[in-house]
């Protein structure tokens, strides 16, 4: 088996170690004998390349990079991305990338960056005099009760529409907006989250979920990946949980 991972804007959107998610996904496939190809989809990439992608990934970024990416996301790319997401291509979208999936992101100066309007959400930065939402975060996923650990650093506050399910519920930290205890969002096989970390090495179940969904879609068969030794991931999680929950 083989999978193609489409990495959206790696040169612009990969803050706070988000590239570690790509390394982890690739490794986790290879450890199971699944060959992977990483497609770097940088500024100016041909929308046709999206056709061969089995898993989509897009990391976080500062407002400046988000504006550059917004300019590059022309009508063809937006149409292809929407089709991929609507057709259940699994994807992981971190922070600024998560914000892009919604209607708009209003930056600290009140300037709106239009989003893809795939997720029923919007994001607004309350202004330069408002504190950024920064720190370690613990949250529990809505669907499978997985306890997630990571860290967040965003000025934008994201608000989910009634039709969009949160990815997780905040146990410790801020989450989407520091008020409603939601963290991220999930729509079909696409996950948006504020968790940097990178999220996947600290929460390997999410990586396996993305890989299984990609294989199911590509090979039209249900699959349960073989269990791996996640000792290091577990130790990292235990350490963070100890620090956070016992604070
Ligand atoms: N620029 C966005 C914000 O500050 C996203 C930040 C990020 O991707 N870490 O909310």
């Amino acid at each position: 088996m083989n999978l193609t991972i489409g990495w959206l804007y790696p040169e612009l959107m990969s803050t706070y170690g988000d590239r570690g998610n790509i390394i982890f996904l690739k490794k986790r496939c290879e450890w199971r004998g699944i060959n992977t190809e990483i497609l770097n989809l940088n500024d100016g990439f041909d929308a046709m390349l999206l056709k061969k992608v089995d898993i989509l990934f897009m990391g976080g970024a500062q407002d400046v990079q988000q504006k550059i990416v917004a300019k590059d996301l022309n009508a063809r790319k937006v149409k292809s991305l929407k089709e991929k997401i609507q057709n259940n291509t699994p994807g992981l979208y971190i922070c600024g990338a998560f914000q892009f999936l919604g209607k708009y992101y209003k930056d600290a100066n009140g300037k709106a960056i239009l989003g893809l309007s795939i997720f029923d959400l919007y994001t607004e930065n309350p202004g330069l005099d408002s504190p950024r939402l920064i720190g370690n975060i613990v949250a529990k996923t809505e669907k499978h009760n997985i306890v997630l650990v990571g860290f967040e650093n965003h000025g934008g506050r994201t608000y989910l529409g009634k039709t969009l399910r949160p990815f997780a519920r905040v146990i410790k930290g801020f989450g989407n907006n520091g008020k409603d205890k939601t963290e991220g969002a999930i729509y079909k096989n696409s996950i948006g989250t504020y968790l940097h970390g990178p999220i996947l090495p600290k929460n390997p179940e999410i990586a396996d979920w993305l890989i299984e969904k990609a294989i199911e879609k590509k090979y039209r068969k249900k699959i349960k990946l073989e269990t791996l030794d996640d000792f290091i991931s577990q130790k990292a999680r235990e350490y963070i949980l100890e620090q956070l929950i016992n604070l």
Side-chain angles (χ1 to χ4, degrees), residues 85 98 101-103 117-121 164 185-187 190-192:
I85 291 175
F98 168 39
L101 293 171
K103 296 179 184 116
S117 289
I118 301 172
F119 279 27
D120 180 13
L121 64 85
L164 188 57
I186 185 164
Y187 173 68
S190 295
I191 295 172

Side-chain angles (χ1 to χ4, degrees), residues 2-247:
N2 59 73
L3 291 175
T4 299
I5 302 172
W7 187 2
L8 288 158
Y9 303 100
E11 289 173 4
L12 286 165
M13 297 192 71
S14 185
T15 44
Y16 313 122
D18 289 341
R19 64 183 56 246
N21 293 305
I22 290 284
I23 299 165
F24 193 70
L25 270 176
K26 182 173 169 61
K27 272 287 162 214
R28 232 162 152 82
C29 285
E30 288 171 357
W31 287 334
R32 290 153 165 147
I34 303 165
N35 296 319
T36 56
E37 180 196 355
I38 310 293
L39 259 188
N40 290 336
L41 302 168
N42 280 303
D43 197 1
F45 76 89
D46 182 339
M48 286 297 285
L49 288 172
L50 287 168
K51 287 194 181 308
K52 60 185 288 192
V53 168
D54 301 308
I55 301 177
L56 280 162
F57 174 75
M58 190 169 175
Q62 304 304 332
D63 294 9
V64 170
Q65 288 84 356
Q66 285 176 257
K67 288 185 184 107
I68 297 168
V69 168
K71 284 201 186 85
D72 187 60
L73 280 173
N74 59 32
R76 272 188 68 214
K77 286 175 187 168
V78 171
K79 182 172 175 296
S80 307
L81 271 173
K82 279 184 177 178
E83 281 167 6
K84 296 292 283 186
I85 291 175
Q86 295 296 359
N87 295 333
N88 292 310
T89 299
L92 178 65
Y93 304 83
I94 312 286
C95 203
F98 168 39
Q99 296 170 346
F100 250 133
L101 293 171
K103 296 179 184 116
Y104 66 85
Y105 165 60
K106 193 178 279 183
D107 71 13
N109 301 308
K111 191 160 175 4
I113 303 169
L114 284 184
L116 301 175
S117 289
I118 301 172
F119 279 27
D120 180 13
L121 64 85
Y122 66 91
T123 303
E124 295 185 348
N125 186 316
L128 294 168
D129 52 358
S130 295
R132 289 181 68 82
L133 304 183
I134 300 176
N136 284 308
I137 177 168
V138 179
K140 186 179 271 192
T141 62
E142 283 256 299
K143 209 163 173 197
H144 301 108
N145 279 334
I146 297 167
V147 174
L148 303 169
V149 294
F151 78 86
E152 57 188 326
N153 180 338
H154 53 106
R157 275 67 167 169
T158 293
Y159 300 90
L160 308 185
K162 291 191 178 19
T163 63
L164 188 57
R165 294 195 350 252
F167 174 45
R169 294 275 171 194
V170 175
I171 296 170
K172 191 96 177 178
F174 298 106
N176 285 335
N177 49 52
K179 293 191 187 113
D180 64 12
K181 293 287 182 195
T182 61
E183 198 300 307
I186 185 164
Y187 173 68
K188 293 185 177 239
N189 289 335
S190 295
I191 295 172
T193 177
Y194 273 113
L195 269 68
H196 296 287
I199 181 174
L200 294 182
K202 290 181 178 163
N203 306 282
E205 304 95 324
I206 307 302
D208 288 352
W209 183 86
L210 291 166
I211 296 166
E212 285 174 356
K213 290 297 177 191
I215 290 170
E216 281 171 25
K217 180 169 165 44
K218 183 168 190 173
Y219 296 99
R220 291 182 170 56
K221 67 175 181 180
K222 276 260 179 223
I223 183 172
K224 190 77 194 103
L225 292 171
E226 69 173 281
T227 310
L228 295 173
D229 175 2
D230 288 329
F231 176 76
I232 297 173
S233 290
Q234 290 313 330
K235 282 294 158 207
R237 292 157 56 81
E238 283 164 20
Y239 176 78
I240 294 169
L241 284 169
E242 218 173 274
Q243 302 292 315
L244 273 180
I245 302 296
N246 298 336
L247 275 183

